[in-house]
Structure formats: structure tokens, C-alpha cells
Amino acid sequence: MNTEYLYLVAEQLYLNASGHPMCNRNWIAAIYKSLLVANRGDAEEILWTKYNEWKIDHNCRAARSTAKTNKSKIISFNMVPTGLTAFEIVVTIQKGTDLIPKTIIYRKDAFPEGLWRVKNPKNDTVLSNQFERDQLFEESLSSTSYFVKLIDRIMDREIVTEDDLDLEIPNTPDKLDISLYSDLDADEEVDEVQNLVTEKQVDTISSVDYARNMKFEALKLVLDQVRDKYHETEEPLQKSYLLTVIGAAVFYLPSLNLHFSGFISVAALKGYLNGNRRVKDHIFPRKRAASVLLNKELSVEELKSKYHDHLAEFMYVTYSENSQLINYYEEHDSHDQALAAFEIDKFPLPGVERFSSHRELDLFILFLRDKKGKNKSKEELNDLLHEFRAV
């Protein structure tokens, strides 16, 4: 089976699952691996390469590149159950002027155990455990957003309880840098796919824009159902819990490179050069974001604008710095004031222009690797930034 066709199916299944709060960029690589196992008898172990990446992630991106070069795309997508956890996916793929029918096997038992057993030098795995595999598989079979499932538990309740909002949100790390799949952010044509389960024609979830729009539609639906109940209740614990749930929904909207504020902490920069994980710290905390969105009814377009222009902005910090900054607004008037109070140095340093884009930060990090930047002081790093920009 051609790997580019397997990638196209993997992308569609991944975008089906993208509304789940555990979803992260590792899921598409895991799905792709399962399709290789089920359709090509792939028996290669899960490997971490000398280039500091999962080999399956590299292979997945290579298959995407081939599909993009060939302008291949799915124009019909049918899922036929063959067992409790097995499906035949019947697709028609357009490649140039050719229409190519394919039948692809998708099984839960085709996800190799190495996905959650093999660890990289940072002690990370592709998937956290078997439970995450199960969540991935089940969610990939449906295009219904995870948070839409809250509505039935919230509607028609005079008092909202924690049982009504029975939602456990795991703190899943951003295991793959979104820039690795940055071309997923490009505008793509919305096609039509056929879903045998519903036997209806729907907009294809292989369109990234469509999948993102559905998240905003779902969030608006939840907000409109919860808003009046939030303002009617006087119980502070209930109000706080509702803010937590809505804040989590906001947090799991797409986080894009364009939301990067242009700053990274000095510790996060040096730590990243040492192979440590950098964490996105949102300038506008999620509970405050929820409060803003519950204050006033917004159209979907207004909701998108509010999110992209204001609520989604982030800078990079270390894991420990991120923990310090939780609920910073309770004691500090601004994010910058909190950074100063916790002695977190923001980079570039004061007086130097922020990074113009995520790409400039990525290129600067590559530049620092050649300069042994992990051993430099913050002042020396600042000097190297001037040198980098001069080049």
C-alpha cells in the first residue's frame, strides 16, 4: 500500500479525533504507524533518532510531503465495520486526473505496544499508555467534538453540579512541536466525503480549516447553553468549576505559531538547547478567558477573532516557571509584573525587538547550537541575537 495514501487516511482519522482534550501531534504519527502495521505488515520498532525525533514522525511527514507534491487528496471516505475494533476504510483518492479506489484496514490492535513502552532520552513516549491509545482510536471514528458531549449534561438543569460536568482533562504535554506540521496551517480546499455510518455527504475532515471551524462552532454551542446558568448561579464553587471547564475548552482550541508573542524565557531557551521541553504559557489565563467569553454572546466569527487576536497569545517558559505563573492574575496586575516578581527573565531582553515570528525563533535556536549557546549568559545570548540578525 502506497504510504502517501496511508498518510491521507491517517490525517483524516487524526482530524476526527482533534476535538478530544488528550489529542496532540503524536496522534497522527501513531495512527499512521498503525496503518503501516495493518496494511504493509510493518514490523519496525519504535525508534528515537540521532536527530532528536521519533522515526515514525519523520516517516509520517515524508509521506505527507509526497502527498502534497502529488496534490493527492481524498474525495470519498467510507468506514465499514468488520469487528468491534476493526474497520475497512474504502476511499477514493484523486491524484492528478486519476481517481484511485483503495481499501485500507484500520484496527485497534495494530497500534504496537512500543508506542507507549519505548522512551526517548527525555523519558517521553509517543503515547502515554494504552488508555491514550483507546481514547485515540475511539475518537478517531467520530467527527463529533469532545466538548459538544457536555451539552446534554448541562441543558435543562436548574443547578449545575460536578456530575453534570463530568469531564476529566489530562495535562497532556505538547510532545511534538507544531512547527513540524506547520504546512497543516495552510488553506486547503474543502472536499466532500461520504460517511457510511450516517450515509450522508459531509464536508471532509481532511480539511484543516473545516475541523477548526467545527471546534469554534462547538465552543459557541457550549457557551450559549452555559452562559445564562453561569450568571444565574450564586454558588462560587459552581461558578469556578464552570470557568475551569470552559477554560479547558478554550485551551484546546488550535494553538498556532502565529499566536507566539515573540518571547521565550532565558531558562526555557537554554533548557531547550539542552534537550528539555519548553512549555507554552498563555498570557491570558484560561479561566479569565472563560469569564470574558461568558460575559457576552458572540458570533462564531467574533469568537474566532477574540481567540486569535487576544486569548491565544503565548510565550515559552520552563515547566517550573509555568507552574509559578498559574493564576498569576490573583496577585499581580499583569503577566510582565508576575515575570518580574518570580525573577523570570524574558528574552529578548528589554530594549531588543521581540522575535518577529516563530520561524525566527527556530532559526535562532539552530544558530545557537553552532555557538554553544546553552553555556552563554543572558547578556551573551542577547549579543548573539544581534549577531544572528546582522547575518
Side-chain angles (χ1 to χ4, degrees):
M1 178 67 67
N2 192 312
T3 56
E4 70 176 290
Y5 304 156
L6 294 180
Y7 172 80
L8 291 172
V9 172
E11 181 186 84
Q12 186 149 332
L13 292 168
Y14 165 75
L15 287 168
N16 262 5
S18 63
H20 194 283
M22 291 182 75
C23 184
N24 61 80
R25 287 288 174 173
N26 280 10
W27 279 25
I28 190 169
I31 294 170
Y32 178 69
K33 178 64 175 179
S34 78
L35 295 178
L36 289 175
V37 171
N39 295 275
R40 291 170 62 99
D42 180 86
E44 184 177 39
E45 295 182 359
I46 302 301
L47 300 172
W48 182 256
T49 74
K50 63 181 181 180
Y51 302 107
N52 290 324
E53 63 179 355
W54 294 109
K55 186 174 181 181
I56 186 57
D57 173 53
H58 172 83
N59 293 344
C60 184
R61 286 184 284 120
R64 174 178 168 78
S65 179
T66 301
K68 190 172 182 181
T69 299
N70 293 334
K71 297 184 178 179
S72 302
K73 60 183 178 181
I74 292 175
I75 61 172
S76 70
F77 184 94
N78 304 326
M79 296 188 68
V80 182
T82 59
L84 291 176
T85 59
F87 291 81
E88 285 186 350
I89 301 176
V90 183
V91 296
T92 301
I93 295 170
Q94 182 178 342
K95 187 173 181 178
T97 58
D98 296 330
L99 295 179
I100 304 168
K102 291 290 179 182
T103 299
I104 293 171
I105 299 168
Y106 184 46
R107 307 192 320 262
K108 185 162 75 169
D109 64 5
F111 288 80
E113 290 188 3
L115 290 170
W116 55 89
R117 295 193 185 279
V118 176
K119 296 182 179 181
N120 67 12
K122 302 176 188 177
N123 215 33
D124 286 332
T125 52
V126 179
L127 300 178
S128 300
N129 47 41
Q130 219 167 337
F131 172 76
E132 185 177 355
R133 186 276 311 269
D134 294 345
Q135 294 294 301
L136 180 166
F137 185 80
E138 291 169 13
E139 198 72 9
S140 69
L141 304 177
S142 170
S143 60
T144 304
S145 170
Y146 184 85
F147 289 101
V148 171
K149 298 173 186 177
L150 286 174
I151 295 171
D152 290 338
R153 301 183 182 191
I154 295 174
M155 291 176 63
D156 302 325
R157 296 283 201 275
E158 292 183 5
I159 297 177
V160 181
T161 68
E162 291 197 11
D163 289 336
D164 297 322
L165 298 171
D166 184 16
L167 177 68
E168 184 175 341
I169 308 287
N171 184 18
T172 305
D174 186 11
K175 294 180 180 176
L176 286 183
D177 193 323
I178 195 170
S179 63
L180 297 178
Y181 284 86
S182 58
D183 53 350
L184 281 174
D185 297 339
D187 291 335
E188 297 182 4
E189 181 181 354
V190 177
D191 302 324
E192 297 266 312
V193 298
Q194 183 182 13
N195 187 327
L196 271 189
V197 177
T198 60
E199 297 183 346
K200 293 180 180 180
Q201 289 291 107
V202 296
D203 290 329
T204 176
I205 44 98
S206 65
S207 162
V208 176
D209 282 342
Y210 175 78
R212 287 182 182 153
N213 286 340
M214 289 305 96
K215 287 188 177 184
F216 283 102
E217 293 273 5
L219 178 57
K220 174 174 167 51
L221 191 58
V222 173
L223 287 168
D224 290 347
Q225 295 293 339
V226 171
R227 186 175 288 108
D228 287 345
K229 296 183 183 297
Y230 169 76
H231 289 293
E232 287 169 5
T233 183
E234 296 181 0
E235 214 293 311
L237 291 177
Q238 286 191 358
K239 293 178 84 77
S240 177
Y241 190 74
L242 283 170
L243 289 179
T244 298
V245 171
I246 299 301
V250 173
F251 179 77
Y252 285 107
L253 289 172
S255 182
L256 308 178
N257 288 349
L258 61 87
H259 299 145
F260 176 50
S261 67
F263 291 102
I264 181 172
S265 75
V266 171
L269 178 58
K270 296 175 74 171
Y272 194 71
L273 291 169
N274 275 313
N276 298 323
R277 185 168 68 93
R278 60 189 181 188
V279 179
K280 292 176 180 178
D281 188 70
H282 288 82
I283 313 301
F284 207 91
R286 64 177 77 176
K287 289 182 74 171
R288 289 189 67 184
S291 179
V292 168
L293 296 178
L294 286 169
N295 276 341
K296 175 184 175 182
E297 184 173 353
L298 300 170
S299 68
V300 173
E301 290 306 313
E302 289 171 330
L303 179 58
K304 287 182 188 177
S305 179
K306 176 72 74 173
Y307 176 74
H308 289 304
D309 296 343
H310 193 46
L311 303 182
E313 186 181 23
F314 69 87
M315 69 171 286
Y316 284 115
V317 297
T318 66
Y319 184 84
S320 61
E321 289 171 339
N322 181 249
S323 298
Q324 287 179 295
L325 291 165
I326 291 174
N327 296 333
Y328 73 82
Y329 56 89
E330 294 178 356
E331 296 181 6
H332 305 284
D333 294 333
S334 69
H335 193 261
D336 281 342
Q337 187 183 92
L339 292 175
F342 293 120
E343 298 183 343
I344 298 172
D345 292 316
K346 191 161 70 169
F347 190 87
L349 300 180
V352 180
E353 186 177 348
R354 70 179 69 191
F355 290 106
S356 60
S357 65
H358 202 291
R359 177 170 175 75
E360 188 187 19
L361 170 63
D362 293 338
L363 291 173
F364 180 58
I365 287 171
L366 291 176
F367 176 80
L368 287 179
R369 293 191 192 281
D370 293 334
K371 300 288 185 178
K372 298 182 179 178
K374 61 185 179 182
N375 299 319
K376 305 294 184 183
S377 68
K378 61 183 180 182
E379 291 78 15
E380 288 172 324
L381 289 172
N382 225 37
D383 291 339
L384 285 171
L385 179 58
H386 286 298
E387 181 183 335
F388 164 75
R389 286 175 169 169
V391 173

